[in-house]
Amino acid sequence: MAVLSFKEIGMNHLNIDIETYSSVDIKTSGAYKYAQSGDFEILLFAYSLNNSPVKIVDLTQGEKTPNEIIKLLNDPDCTKHAYNAAFEWWCLNQAGYETDINQWQCTMIQGLYCGYPAGLEQIGKALKLPQDKAKLTTGKALIKYFCVPCKSTKVNGGRLRNLPHHEPEKWQIFKDYCVQDVVTEMEVLRYFEEFQVPEKEWELWRFDVLMNSEGVKIDRQMVGNALYIDSKVSADLQEEAKRLTGLSNPNSTAQLKPWLIDSGLDIDNLQKGTVSELLETTDGEVKRVLEIRQELSKTSTKKYVAMREGAGSDDRVRGLLQFYGANRTGRWARTFSSSSKFTS
């Protein structure tokens, strides 16, 4: 049975990109907690209805999203498209725009389904879409400038956030950048028009979005206790290593390596494998110092840091899985860590 193209389906299509602000670090806490912050807001709302020229609503300047678009956001006869649409869907709902995930499709997932990389910039390169590297770099800088808190300095008057009136010219460039994201997303979508994702896969993706938005509840007290124990044990081991070596920071390779050489070891580095080998041939204080280094270098407790940083006010960690994370098999992949997260 042939799959109908968008043109053959008598529906409205709305392509969307938003720019947002939150004091929560999206890289360490994830997009779901990011949008649950009390100061979260949508700054810019760019859209195209049925391939019409892209329009942008500057919500920071008091502009209002047209009622027609607000109605279409929750109209079952209108398919909403975005790149990494789970982000737009979640953020819009958190900001008070009611929209049903069953009415959405994700252009990133269409690309992944066809074997292309994630990330709008990466897929644009793969499809050889015209891209201005200078504009891409500028866009990233503007996101950092307007979408995250800034450091308080004498130069900026002690403010903790950059607003449009602080740099009007930059703000206009940022609006153009948001519009261009919709244009690029539409070009990517047009490229995949003949390679439609089966509805069965869309159902799985929507289930994934709902599953990720529900999250997994953690025991915050247990996580806190585990981190306390880890910090206490680490501090005790560090003090023991200081007593044994006389060094101010025995966890420093620059300090510990000379001490080990002076103790009779012939070593080039203190990598994990090297330390494991040395433990087989040493004894006494040297062996104990190496054991302490090995213990302090373990990363198993970092999962608790990720839990603490990712948990929302309801103690649930969201966004743990990436749909179609494995490029060739299409299986789920783990996305959340203490340092990375898929974002729009």
Side-chain angles (χ1 to χ4, degrees):
M1 179 177 174
V3 179
L4 296 177
S5 70
F6 294 150
K7 294 177 181 177
E8 295 173 302
I9 301 173
M11 296 183 67
N12 286 311
H13 292 272
L14 190 61
N15 297 78
I16 299 170
D17 185 68
I18 60 175
E19 300 298 343
T20 59
Y21 172 87
S22 173
S23 60
V24 172
D25 187 344
I26 197 169
K27 291 183 179 179
T28 58
S29 298
Y32 290 86
K33 184 177 178 180
Y34 167 90
Q36 287 181 312
S37 172
D39 58 9
F40 168 78
E41 64 175 305
I42 296 176
L43 308 175
L44 299 171
F45 184 109
Y47 66 91
S48 168
L49 178 59
N50 296 328
N51 291 319
S52 61
V54 180
K55 297 180 180 179
I56 188 163
V57 182
D58 188 342
L59 296 167
T60 69
Q61 305 300 305
E63 295 179 7
K64 303 294 184 182
T65 306
N67 287 332
E68 175 195 15
I69 301 303
I70 292 176
K71 289 179 181 178
L72 287 174
L73 283 174
N74 207 33
D75 183 347
D77 291 325
C78 177
T79 301
K80 274 65 71 174
H81 306 270
Y83 204 88
N84 191 16
F87 180 81
E88 264 75 13
W89 169 80
W90 176 255
C91 288
L92 286 167
N93 276 287
Q94 292 301 305
Y97 295 85
E98 186 178 348
T99 180
D100 188 340
I101 191 60
N102 291 310
Q103 301 165 17
W104 285 77
Q105 289 184 4
C106 178
T107 310
M108 182 179 76
I109 297 302
Q110 285 192 264
L112 290 172
Y113 181 78
C114 293
Y116 283 85
L120 191 55
E121 179 182 348
Q122 289 75 22
I123 197 170
K125 288 180 180 178
L127 296 177
K128 295 182 171 55
L129 298 179
Q131 297 187 70
D132 187 325
K133 290 185 179 179
K135 287 183 179 179
L136 287 170
T137 302
T138 300
K140 291 175 183 177
L142 291 173
I143 288 174
K144 184 176 181 180
Y145 187 82
F146 288 115
C147 298
V148 301
C150 64
K151 271 189 176 181
S152 172
T153 66
K154 289 183 179 180
V155 176
N156 70 15
R159 68 174 182 264
L160 296 174
R161 179 180 174 184
N162 296 315
L163 297 169
H165 69 267
H166 293 131
E167 290 283 355
E169 291 185 5
K170 283 185 177 181
W171 183 250
Q172 184 56 52
I173 296 171
F174 191 39
K175 290 170 68 173
D176 295 341
Y177 170 83
C178 184
V179 167
Q180 185 57 43
D181 268 0
V182 178
V183 173
T184 304
E185 185 269 332
M186 290 169 66
E187 284 296 317
V188 173
L189 186 61
R190 189 174 294 115
Y191 183 89
F192 291 120
E193 193 172 31
E194 302 302 321
F195 307 97
Q196 290 297 295
V197 176
E199 182 58 30
K200 179 183 68 174
E201 292 297 318
W202 284 130
E203 290 175 2
L204 284 173
W205 170 72
R206 291 167 190 138
F207 175 77
D208 166 84
V209 173
L210 293 173
M211 180 172 61
N212 271 319
S213 66
E214 180 69 16
V216 177
K217 193 174 182 65
I218 65 165
D219 185 332
R220 194 182 288 271
Q221 183 176 353
M222 184 274 289
V223 170
N225 289 344
L227 289 171
Y228 170 77
I229 292 170
D230 175 62
S231 64
K232 182 69 170 62
V233 170
S234 295
D236 290 346
L237 289 173
Q238 186 80 342
E239 287 302 314
E240 182 182 356
K242 285 181 181 180
R243 290 196 303 271
L244 292 171
T245 63
L247 301 173
S248 60
N249 181 16
N251 207 35
S252 164
T253 300
Q255 291 187 32
L256 183 58
K257 185 179 173 182
W259 183 86
L260 290 170
I261 292 173
D262 290 342
S263 299
L265 295 184
D266 182 14
I267 56 174
D268 295 322
N269 60 70
L270 285 174
Q271 295 174 2
K272 183 179 179 180
T274 303
V275 172
S276 296
E277 290 177 5
L278 290 172
L279 284 171
E280 299 294 326
T281 59
T282 55
D283 56 20
E285 290 185 349
V286 171
K287 183 172 185 176
R288 180 56 185 156
V289 169
L290 290 171
E291 288 174 341
I292 292 173
R293 181 177 178 83
Q294 189 179 59
E295 187 68 27
L296 291 174
S297 66
K298 289 182 178 179
T299 60
S300 56
T301 56
K302 288 186 176 180
K303 64 172 71 74
Y304 294 108
V305 176
M307 290 180 199
R308 182 189 64 193
E309 296 301 317
S313 58
D314 56 358
D315 295 342
R316 303 189 79 87
V317 181
R318 295 173 168 83
L320 293 171
L321 296 174
Q322 171 61 36
F323 186 74
Y324 245 83
N327 189 268
R328 287 175 173 77
T329 64
R331 65 173 172 77
W332 271 274
R334 180 178 68 88
T335 63
F336 198 92
S337 71
S338 59
S339 61
S340 65
K341 184 74 180 75
F342 272 88
T343 61
S344 178

